[in-house]
Amino acid sequence: MKLICEGVDLSDGLLKTVKACAAKTTNPVLECIKIAAQNDTVTLLATDGEIAIRKDLRAEVLEEGAVCVPGKFFADFVKRLENEQVTLMTEGDRLTITYGDAESALQVLPADDFPAIDTDITEQRVEITAKDLKELVAGTTFCCAQDDSRPVLKGCLVEAREGEVRFTALDGYRLAVCRRPAVSLSGDIRIVCPGRTLNEIARMLGSDEETICLYVQKNMLLVRIDDTVLTSRLFEGEFVNVAGILPHAFATEMKVDRALLDESVERAAVLARIDKNSVITFDVHEGGMGVSSNTSIGRVDETVPVSMTGKDVRIALNCKFVSDCLKAAGDDVVCFSFNGPVAPCVVTPPEGDRYLYLILPVRTTG
């Protein structure tokens, strides 16, 4: 293999694909990026067995071929060649990198060792605008579980039906549901997609007006954006029945300025974060809501104006969970609903059902 390309193009492609390289594995080839040169195109491909990213870029191909290079090392090295024209040439188990008057080399693996990646995934599809897809991802994936005790909760339940796309995520302490309109559907879709996959797709998105097509087949998802293709395995197993979790009526409801409350919560969180449960307390009553944190190093006690109906309530919540929900909501005004100090708190928009966040309270003594 021998090719010539611009360092900036190669670096951009490598930085996109290297995100799919495995970090720790017993199979060294999964830490590699496969470089394949054919006609006037160089294809970069990486996978960790769960997610795969392929990027095509233009190059002058002098000799066709393919090889596997150490992904993170090669991406880091080429990032420092963005102002150079780069020549890549394989010689046995070495890749020679020529730039300017300099020459470097890397040990490589045979391309035949790299696993085959299926990109023939077209059975079902849903189209959605890039803007709505970004909002769905940003509004839910922060609620995905981070541990492996229940792998399916590391993903988002993605449902598409009746002209709507709905994302649902929960980690056992909080829950997020977001809805946006679909541009088109080939049929009903219900999958559990890894949160990591959705975040990588969001990073790939360009113009908000662009229409993105998600393809699903069996246990695989595919997204094609410009010259980049991402494929991912989907989680198997049954997702939590969210309908059985959500309250249908509330004893207390209030509306509050989102920015004012977020600022107050952030100040209270400065002290609350030293506590194991990061507890802040909401004391909701007519005309105002107390926001407080009380720890061994001090106390914060503020009042935020609210519009409230129903019973007074005092509830303890994790400050990070509240702050995450407020930032994801985005509306100028948000609604909080309660059923007492030991029942979940629910956050919704002032109108409609574009999002819903549920936070379990923290049990406190005294």
Side-chain angles (χ1 to χ4, degrees), residues 102-115:
E103 183 179 286
S104 300
L106 278 177
Q107 292 291 118
V108 294
L109 295 176
D112 291 343
D113 292 350
F114 200 83

Side-chain angles (χ1 to χ4, degrees), residues 261-275:
L261 180 57
D262 191 31
E263 290 169 3
S264 184
V265 168
E266 286 293 336
R267 287 189 290 270
V270 172
L271 297 187
R273 290 191 184 104
I274 73 161
D275 179 73

Side-chain angles (χ1 to χ4, degrees), residues 104-296:
S104 300
L106 278 177
Q107 292 291 118
V108 294
L109 295 176
D112 291 343
D113 292 350
F114 200 83
I117 304 299
D118 181 14
T119 56
D120 186 20
I121 299 169
T122 58
E123 190 174 293
Q124 293 176 292
R125 62 167 179 78
V126 54
E127 286 186 278
I128 187 170
T129 65
K131 178 178 183 293
D132 285 339
L133 183 53
K134 287 177 190 175
E135 291 177 353
L136 285 168
V137 173
T140 53
T141 54
F142 66 90
C143 283
C144 291
Q146 299 302 309
D147 61 68
D148 294 318
S149 58
R150 294 186 66 184
V152 74
L153 296 187
K154 295 177 72 175
C156 270
L157 174 64
V158 178
E159 298 173 285
R161 63 173 183 270
E162 297 176 354
E164 178 184 84
V165 181
R166 182 171 72 176
F167 280 25
T168 303
L170 72 158
D171 62 6
Y173 302 97
R174 53 184 173 166
L175 175 148
V177 181
C178 286
R179 296 175 169 86
R180 293 295 185 274
V183 174
S184 70
L185 293 172
S186 66
D188 291 356
I189 292 174
R190 180 184 169 92
I191 59 173
V192 182
C193 185
R196 174 194 169 207
T197 296
L198 295 172
N199 285 321
E200 289 298 342
I201 292 171
R203 292 186 189 101
M204 291 164 52
L205 298 175
S207 167
D208 284 352
E209 288 71 38
E210 186 180 2
T211 299
I212 306 301
C213 197
L214 307 179
Y215 294 95
V216 178
Q217 188 163 315
K218 296 181 180 177
N219 67 334
M220 295 295 294
L221 171 82
L222 180 144
V223 180
R224 182 178 286 104
I225 301 172
D226 298 328
D227 293 325
T228 306
V229 177
L230 180 148
T231 60
S232 174
R233 292 188 181 277
L234 301 173
F235 285 129
E236 298 181 5
E238 194 60 34
F239 203 76
V240 175
N241 178 19
V242 173
I245 297 173
L246 299 176
H248 300 292
F250 299 96
T252 308
E253 296 182 325
M254 74 170 195
K255 293 183 180 180
V256 61
D257 183 291
R258 184 190 62 83
L260 281 180
L261 180 57
D262 191 31
E263 290 169 3
S264 184
V265 168
E266 286 293 336
R267 287 189 290 270
V270 172
L271 297 187
R273 290 191 184 104
I274 73 161
D275 179 73
K276 181 180 69 172
N277 294 314
S278 301
V279 175
I280 59 170
T281 301
F282 285 176
D283 191 353
V284 185
H285 50 272
E286 185 62 41
M289 177 177 74
V291 179
S292 63
S293 61
N294 190 3
T295 70
S296 60

Side-chain angles (χ1 to χ4, degrees), residues 22 24-25 29 48 50 59-60 69 89 115 118 155 193 210 213 268-269 272 302 305 311 313 318 328 343 351 364:
K24 296 179 181 179
T25 177
V29 79
D48 61 2
E50 176 181 270
E60 183 183 353
V69 300
M89 183 173 66
D118 181 14
C193 185
E210 186 180 2
C213 197
E302 302 184 5
K311 301 177 180 178
V313 64
N318 179 293
E351 294 180 1
T364 59

Side-chain angles (χ1 to χ4, degrees), residues 138 142 258 262-263 266 322-331 357:
F142 66 90
R258 184 190 62 83
D262 191 31
E263 290 169 3
E266 286 293 336
V322 175
S323 184
D324 285 347
C325 290
L326 290 171
K327 286 177 172 56
D331 289 319
Y357 299 108

